[in-house]
Amino acid sequence: MMLDKFPAIILINPQLGENIGMAARAMLNCGLTDLRIVNPRDGWPSEEAARASAGALDKGVKATVYTSTRDAIADCHLTFATTARPRDMIKQVYTGRAAMAEAHAKINEGQRVGVLFGAERTGLENEDIALANAIITMPLNPSFSSLNLAQAVLMVAYDFMMQGDETAEAQLQTGKTDIAEAATVTDFTTRLIEELAAKGFFKSPDMRPTMERNLTNLLTRHDWTDQDIQTLHGVVSAFVKDH
Amino acid sequence: MMLDKFPAIILINPQLGENIGMAARAMLNCGLTDLRIVNPRDGWPSEEAARASAGALDKGVKATVYTSTRDAIADCHLTFATTARPRDMIKQVYTGRAAMAEAHAKINEGQRVGVLFGAERTGLENEDIALANAIITMPLNPSFSSLNLAQAVLMVAYDFMMQGDETAEAQLQTGKTDIAEAATVTDFTTRLIEELAAKGFFKSPDMRPTMERNLTNLLTRHDWTDQDIQTLHGVVSAFVKDH
């Protein structure tokens, strides 16, 4: 499969077609073409989007619609979540510039990178952020940091475009195995949660969503290899088999 | 007169109030407050502008209307004109980043800096460009370089804000927990290996050292927090308890 040279822009539950179109225009201004849309409120395709894109949706940006964040990031090796303010999660927080330097390095190694953007008013849900490997928070005016959706996309796309092809200072040495795609990691997370539920790990139904999110966060913020995930499956299998 | 620490954003003949409002929002996102508007087509003040500014026109951006570009830049020591493509003029052409580095230097010397933006469809007239000291042309996708007005303002404001930003580019957001010390991680690794051995995970004695090393590697190359390791202990406990 041909690998993209640019990160995918992934809009989660965007409300207005106009904003999707302006985001597409901003992407193509900076050379980005892979637009993924999860559950656009007003449907797709959208006349408002086409108009606001000023031709970008015809001239280069390819938009694909997904029904879940998980599906939209399935083929990504590194996923960033954009948030305006810190969340109570253990994840690496980057500026746009630092994140896109990292994106360049990973793309040069043959990996796929995605950047998640939340809905206009509410931003990303914690469940979506938990699926990402790291966070981007732009270093904006702290007393007025709420960005228009298309403006947020532009800043990230611009930061990507402005980075030269600088080599990463530290590269992960993976030997013969590859960095796991998101689907590989989320499949393992799903299995782990099911096996733990069967073992009575989630004692209180009230706490279960938080506990699941903690587990998901713990497993997504690292750059696992395929071999790592195989090993972890082996660990779980050893624990759950009858003896 | 008090000098601004930030460049003035000067919109020449803008057409839509909505675009002026979005430009104001982008300015305040990046800490800029001096907005100058020359002959807005639909008049001023503008309800559309107020709405699109998301509060920026109330909360910090001061908009002043002028009847000529000459008046609008009268107090500026250095004025940049933004253009999408080269014009037939002998002027220094900067990227946004280089121009805003120059703006910082001049402002630090006590000078005032302005940046001109043309109307939505037509851009700046040559007469306006002629009044500027230098040109900014963003290094965009050459086959799709036409920017939305507010997006152009955002890029320049962002380039100004990002100059001389000394904050760390990436830091781990750990909330209330600390990064685990090595002993915390190795204690967990040791426990995991013992529990796995009891479950018959290490089928072949020959392979056991390699498998142990793989598990250790997998657990040591990440920056776990204390809370992560507690969670992992909980996972193992759930699996090994009798049920």
Side-chain angles (χ1 to χ4, degrees):
Chain A
M1 176 178 180
M2 209 184 112
L3 287 173
D4 286 328
K5 290 181 306 180
F6 300 98
I9 297 296
I10 306 167
L11 309 182
I12 314 295
N13 306 321
Q15 299 176 315
L16 297 173
E18 185 186 3
N19 285 331
I20 302 173
M22 287 178 60
R25 180 178 180 179
M27 286 173 63
L28 196 56
N29 283 149
C30 299
L32 277 60
T33 56
D34 185 355
L35 172 62
R36 307 177 184 195
I37 314 171
V38 178
N39 297 328
R41 186 192 64 184
D42 295 344
W44 193 262
S46 152
E47 274 181 37
E48 288 75 16
R51 198 177 311 122
S53 82
L57 288 165
D58 297 324
K59 288 180 194 155
V61 172
K62 182 169 173 294
T64 314
V65 174
Y66 294 84
T67 54
S68 75
T69 304
R70 196 173 284 249
D71 288 347
I73 67 168
D75 66 342
C76 293
H77 302 84
L78 173 63
T79 305
F80 292 99
T82 54
T83 70
R85 51 190 188 288
R87 310 286 181 108
D88 192 15
M89 281 191 214
I90 316 293
K91 281 195 200 289
Q92 192 83 19
V93 180
Y94 291 80
T95 62
R97 207 174 268 188
M100 291 304 99
E102 185 75 9
H104 267 285
K106 296 301 180 191
I107 287 171
N108 285 342
E109 291 171 17
Q111 299 189 25
R112 262 183 304 273
V113 175
V115 185
L116 306 179
F117 295 84
E120 285 89 338
R121 290 188 185 283
T122 50
L124 285 170
E125 305 284 337
N126 284 340
E127 284 63 32
D128 292 320
I129 298 173
L131 293 172
N133 307 103
I135 287 174
I136 295 174
T137 296
M138 304 305 278
L140 298 172
N141 178 355
S143 63
F144 195 81
S145 62
S146 160
L147 278 169
N148 166 278
L149 175 57
Q151 304 279 51
V153 169
L154 175 67
M155 289 176 120
V156 169
Y158 181 52
D159 274 327
F160 185 84
M161 187 190 63
M162 290 298 287
Q163 303 282 344
D165 272 30
E166 292 151 37
T167 42
E169 300 205 348
Q171 286 195 354
L172 187 68
Q173 182 178 309
T174 57
K176 297 186 199 72
T177 180
D178 288 324
I179 299 296
E181 295 184 2
T184 308
V185 179
T186 52
D187 286 353
F188 172 74
T189 307
T190 302
R191 181 193 169 196
L192 177 66
I193 286 169
E194 281 167 9
E195 304 278 19
L196 283 170
K199 289 280 188 179
F201 180 73
F202 303 107
K203 288 179 190 91
S204 143
D206 290 354
M207 288 301 295
R208 178 162 176 171
T210 304
M211 293 172 80
E212 285 195 13
R213 200 169 63 229
N214 285 346
L215 281 171
T216 306
N217 265 323
L218 179 156
L219 288 165
T220 50
R221 75 185 169 81
H222 303 308
D223 42 5
W224 301 109
T225 65
D226 287 335
Q227 195 180 56
D228 289 338
I229 298 295
Q230 258 182 33
T231 302
L232 291 173
H233 273 294
V235 165
V236 172
S237 296
F239 280 133
V240 299
K241 78 158 196 270
D242 291 329
H243 65 129
Chain B
M1 178 181 178
M2 208 182 113
L3 287 174
D4 286 328
K5 291 183 303 180
F6 300 97
I9 296 297
I10 306 168
L11 309 183
I12 315 295
N13 306 319
Q15 301 177 314
L16 297 173
E18 184 185 5
N19 285 331
I20 303 174
M22 287 179 59
R25 180 178 182 179
M27 286 174 62
L28 196 56
N29 283 147
C30 300
L32 277 60
T33 56
D34 185 355
L35 174 62
R36 307 179 184 193
I37 313 171
V38 178
N39 297 327
R41 185 191 67 182
D42 294 344
W44 194 263
S46 153
E47 273 181 37
E48 288 77 16
R51 198 177 312 121
S53 82
L57 287 165
D58 297 324
K59 288 180 192 154
V61 172
K62 183 168 171 294
T64 314
V65 174
Y66 294 84
T67 55
S68 74
T69 303
R70 197 172 286 255
D71 287 348
I73 67 169
D75 66 341
C76 293
H77 302 85
L78 173 63
T79 304
F80 292 98
T82 53
T83 70
R85 52 191 187 288
R87 309 285 182 110
D88 190 14
M89 279 189 217
I90 315 294
K91 280 193 201 293
Q92 192 81 24
V93 180
Y94 291 79
T95 63
R97 207 174 266 188
M100 292 303 100
E102 186 73 10
H104 267 285
K106 296 302 180 189
I107 286 170
N108 286 342
E109 293 170 16
Q111 299 189 22
R112 261 184 303 274
V113 174
V115 185
L116 305 179
F117 295 83
E120 284 89 337
R121 289 187 186 285
T122 51
L124 284 169
E125 304 285 336
N126 284 342
E127 288 64 33
D128 293 319
I129 299 174
L131 294 172
N133 305 105
I135 286 174
I136 296 173
T137 297
M138 305 304 280
L140 299 173
N141 179 354
S143 64
F144 196 80
S145 63
S146 160
L147 277 169
N148 167 278
L149 177 56
Q151 304 279 52
V153 170
L154 174 68
M155 287 176 122
V156 169
Y158 180 53
D159 274 328
F160 184 83
M161 187 191 64
M162 287 301 286
Q163 300 283 341
D165 181 34
E166 305 294 340
T167 53
E169 297 256 299
Q171 57 193 89
L172 187 68
Q173 172 181 309
T174 58
K176 296 180 199 77
T177 181
D178 288 323
I179 299 295
E181 294 181 5
T184 309
V185 179
T186 51
D187 286 354
F188 172 73
T189 306
T190 303
R191 180 194 169 197
L192 178 66
I193 287 169
E194 282 167 9
E195 304 278 20
L196 284 170
K199 290 278 189 180
F201 182 72
F202 302 107
K203 287 179 192 93
S204 144
D206 290 353
M207 288 300 294
R208 179 161 174 170
T210 304
M211 292 171 83
E212 284 195 16
R213 199 171 60 233
N214 284 348
L215 279 170
T216 306
N217 265 325
L218 179 157
L219 288 163
T220 50
R221 73 182 171 79
H222 303 308
D223 42 5
W224 302 108
T225 66
D226 287 335
Q227 196 181 54
D228 289 338
I229 299 295
Q230 260 182 31
T231 301
L232 290 173
H233 274 293
V235 166
V236 172
S237 296
F239 279 133
V240 299
K241 79 158 196 274
D242 292 329
H243 65 131

